[in-house]
Amino acid sequence: MPANEVGLLRRLAPVVFVLVLLSTLFVVSQLPEASAAEKASMASRYRFTELPIALPPNLPLRDVRTVNPEYEHIKSWVSSVGAAIAVNDIDGGGKPDDLCLVDTRSDAAIVTPAPGTGGAYQPFVLDAAPLPYSSTTAPMGCAPGDFNLDGWTDLLVYYWGRTPVLFLHKPAASVLSRDTFVATELIPGGTFADNAYHGQLWNTNAVAVADFDGDGKPDIGVFNYFPDSGVLDPQGNKNVSMNHSMSRAQNAGGAHVLRWKAKTAGKAGQPATVEFEEQRGAIDPKCATGWTLASASADLDGDLLPELYLANDFGNDRFFHNVSTPGSIRFALAEGEHGAFTPKSLVMGHDSFKGMGIEFGDLHGTGRFDAFVSNITQSWGIEESNFVWRNTAANVEEAKKELGKGIAPFDNEASDTNMAWVGWGWDAKMADFDNSGNQVVVQTAGFVKGEINRWNWLQELAMSNDLMLQEPAMWPHARPGDDIAGSAHMAFWAPEGNGRYTDLSPQLGMDQPIPSRGVAVADVNGDGSQEFAIARQWGAPTYYRNDRKGNGDFLGLRLYRPVDGTAQGGALHTPAYGALVKITTADGKTQLAQLDGGGGHSGKRSFDVYFGLGTQGAKPVSAELCWRDLTGAIHMQTVDLTAGWHDFMLTTQAQEVTAK
């Protein structure tokens, strides 16, 4: 072939590739969707009743925050996060029927009974008193957990404008109230004469709670968004900034990984104190300063050291292989492999998309953890793609081999599953709401609600020079009245049975055009059906009671470890952080789930491990339990279980105990 023709082919090759890629994407986008009749039939499998969530009386109802003067013209943008919700057994009653939520309208962290559960206490605000606090601080989320390992559920509240606060549960408190908890600094700081906060100005939007170093104790990852600065201070210094890139920003507040170190017994009527130590260098600093909005962990390689995923808004998402040892937490970067026909942004760790939420779960029923990641996917806006990361490792041995080489064993199949586009996505949780053995993905969506569409301004910003982005003055207005994806509604991604999913939120009456953020999931009543709650941004939170009662078609496990100094069969116990359960039903199908200490964007599920059994029904189930005891030693045991709820105490063996 003549040299000039070879040169022409080389010049045309990129053009041909782009045309082929676009044609492929067009064909994929035209794949048939479920018909109206099919959607109606699918929706009939689910029955929910929406209920309001009780809040303390006389709280303010604002619709925007006071911000640093440099952010005044984008105050709606700066006010676009913080609605959060978690569900757990906070009162010690034996069921996860308590909510800890953040209502942005009052910038208050609130504890309240789940609707319809007959909670014996009144909703109350978790103020940080007597710790120093400031009017320039706002809570962003709440993570329940037994952080001092005394058998009582504590609450970790994280903020913009200060470091997180541990609300330690007093022992033997009979009825929940603000007085039930003792506010304690997670990061010890000084005392201030004016009782205002003058410590480190962390701006946190994501935490992950897990036993990262394998010592049997819960560790905490705190991942910050804005750089440490007075974002909400109307008299603040002009040293604030925005991201210095839409896709490669590395100037955020950074990651802080805190290792559980020690606890000290409390005085009479007071909780035990607990100390955490920051593990500097646990994450390579080059990978630790993306603008993180969500984080989650799951063990891929079978060593009960959970891997970590950081969903970054203005930087590459990051996935880390856990290579920790007891007393030393360390994560090694792992990335997906880039094939000839895979766009770079669809390769794990190389994306330029806006990571807003992350959830691990066995989406495909293979006995391996997949992942779902929310991004901005607005038609006629910023149309990126959600990620449905399918775990490609055949087993844990292959996953360990791949991770050891720095390879993340995931391929994206968002388009194939029809879950690529939702609008402006946020939190996501996988759960089986009809006990079919198949996972639904509940995904929140929406950004800023107003009357004037500002997508054209945002598009101009997205195409601007990165050198301009970090200057707040260069950002277009986003103030009250402006609308950016404000009419989006949450999605209820239900499986069609053919590998694809359909959003049934309109058919289920869940398509209210209100921006939403956090999702929390639990079998609140213990009746064999999972409920969920939604936190809305500048709107009232809401709760969806599942009216499809369990019919011997589920398996629920509550997995505990004993509290130091108490009898194995005693009433006090602590969650078995990181415990894994793989079940095999009579028809040979497998499912995998974990005791999730707390991950995602701003929603936290309960500690229960739950499986729908589908047509398996009430036949015995083989369950493989893997856990670490309180010394960090690993144990595995297989038990045959009947359908329904089971409580296990995990020491050197798994022993079934009587529920509370």
Side-chain angles (χ1 to χ4, degrees), residues 316-394:
N316 307 89
D317 286 1
R318 295 297 191 185
F319 178 77
F320 299 96
H321 179 208
N322 192 334
V323 294
S324 304
T325 55
S328 177
I329 301 175
R330 191 166 70 87
F331 294 99
L333 183 68
E335 298 178 319
E337 292 188 295
H338 192 184
F341 297 100
T342 306
K344 185 172 67 174
S345 275
L346 300 184
V347 177
M348 184 175 284
H350 292 269
D351 69 285
S352 59
F353 294 167
K354 312 297 177 287
M356 320 295 278
I358 165 65
E359 163 79 337
F360 282 105
D362 185 2
L363 186 62
H364 298 91
T366 59
R368 302 188 296 274
F369 283 120
D370 308 299
F372 182 95
V373 176
S374 285
N375 292 309
I376 301 177
T377 66
Q378 186 75 32
S379 296
W380 304 104
I382 299 178
E383 191 164 14
E384 300 173 340
S385 170
N386 294 321
F387 295 134
V388 178
W389 295 119
R390 185 178 189 121
N391 189 333
T392 59

Side-chain angles (χ1 to χ4, degrees), residues 16-33:
V16 172
F17 175 77
V18 170
L19 290 174
V20 171
L21 177 61
L22 290 175
S23 299
T24 302
L25 292 175
F26 176 79
V27 171
V28 169
S29 69
Q30 303 306 304
L31 290 175
E33 292 190 2

